[in-house]
Amino acid sequence: MSAIASYQNCSGQGMFRHCKTTARLIRNAKEIAPVTHLPTTPLSAVSSNVRTNIVMKNDVVDPHQLEAIFQKKRSLRSKIRKELKNMDPIQRSQEDTAIQDIVLESSWFKASRNICAYISCASLREVDTSRIVSDILSNQTDGNGQMRKKLYVPRVEDKNSNMRMLKISAVKDLVANSMNILEPSLLDSDGNQCEDALQSYMAMAVCCKTKITYRKSVCVMQASEPVDLFILPGLAFERSGGRLGRGGGYYDVFLKKYQKLAQEQKWKQPLLVALSYSLQVVDEESIPVTPYDVPVDALVSPRGFIPISPVAIERCD
């Protein structure tokens, strides 16, 4: 059974009882017609650097300056949310098709084996990923049973910006959370514990200077191989790599932990690609940036693929 058929079958069994809009998008994914491939933005049109709007002194951030930036972020989020709410449904569908076509046809997507991707939720007005998810799930093994692609999807753990990326093998591994957003269950459909792309736990540590004991977040790699590609959501993006999330900090915290671990393990850093509707691409320096924000390596909009960082440029050669 294909991944799309699995989606439809799960919908029929009430899998998406708590997320009807997502189920409708998945059913419609099968009927999406191909579109003409759109041009890639020239490398000269983007910058490889993302600024930071905060000046740190002795590794300490001025709380007044930080609050001013948070207020600007809240204002921009409100503006983008209104624009997304008023977006023409036909245009939204066309842009969903164009964005997913670009991803599915790209060399960087086809070459990626271990992929972290979000499960789109129509109520959040996120760029649709149903065809991308379906493609990965339908290409998990080759004709000889060898693993080709793995898919990890996000699961929010608490309200303290802690998130996990758990491997799923089928749509039936997903459940609707309290916010009606589809997430992976801790156990897959066969009752086995889902594989973690990165797992954090709290451990006790002692400060060298003060000898004070404190709790420290420790990362442990559960997957046997590093992640090649992250497909990221967001509310607004700049062509220089700036990304504005929804304010929870879940992706920024997770990505910083993963990047640090990849560096320690001497793994190649993953490619961070954000998906964006046309109206979500904002002017440069529109998104306030703090030291805690993680920029993206590339952006996919209906106009094409925008490589930003050296990692993206290297992967696109």
Side-chain angles (χ1 to χ4, degrees), residues 141-148:
T141 58
D142 59 21
N144 299 319
Q146 297 296 314
M147 183 61 67
R148 291 179 59 183

Side-chain angles (χ1 to χ4, degrees), residues 150-298:
K150 287 184 180 180
L151 175 63
Y152 300 87
V153 297
R155 175 188 172 90
V156 172
E157 290 294 287
D158 52 39
K159 295 182 179 180
N160 298 319
S161 302
N162 291 312
M163 181 177 74
R164 298 166 70 180
M165 285 282 182
L166 300 182
K167 177 181 175 292
I168 65 169
S169 300
V171 183
K172 56 186 177 181
D173 294 336
L174 299 172
V175 294
N177 66 13
S178 60
M179 300 291 290
N180 291 339
I181 298 173
L182 294 175
E183 293 185 327
S185 173
L186 293 176
L187 301 178
D188 63 22
S189 56
D190 296 323
N192 300 315
Q193 185 172 354
C194 290
E195 181 181 293
D196 244 318
L198 172 72
Q199 184 177 19
S200 297
Y201 66 90
M202 299 305 294
M204 301 307 294
V206 179
C207 178
C208 296
K209 294 182 179 180
T210 65
K211 304 302 180 182
I212 296 175
T213 302
Y214 64 97
R215 291 173 64 83
K216 177 182 179 181
S217 178
V218 179
C219 299
V220 177
M221 174 54 61
Q222 297 290 342
S224 57
E225 298 176 316
V227 174
D228 302 306
L229 171 66
F230 280 86
I231 296 178
L232 306 171
L235 275 176
F237 308 92
E238 295 175 347
R239 291 174 179 266
S240 59
R243 171 186 171 273
L244 180 70
R246 296 184 177 275
Y250 291 95
Y251 278 94
D252 289 321
V253 170
F254 184 92
L255 291 172
K256 278 190 176 293
K257 289 179 180 178
Y258 188 90
Q259 289 174 334
K260 179 181 178 182
L261 186 61
Q263 185 178 20
E264 293 172 351
Q265 297 292 331
K266 295 182 171 52
W267 287 330
K268 180 182 291 186
Q269 289 291 342
L271 182 67
L272 310 183
V273 179
L275 308 186
S276 172
Y277 291 122
S278 298
L279 66 84
Q280 292 177 286
V281 182
V282 298
D283 294 336
E284 292 304 301
E285 301 191 7
S286 296
I287 300 176
V289 178
T290 75
Y292 314 113
D293 297 324
V294 177
V296 298
D297 295 310

Side-chain angles (χ1 to χ4, degrees), residues 53-64:
N53 296 123
I54 286 182
V55 177
M56 300 182 67
K57 184 176 181 180
N58 297 327
D59 294 328
V60 177
V61 177
D62 181 353
H64 299 290

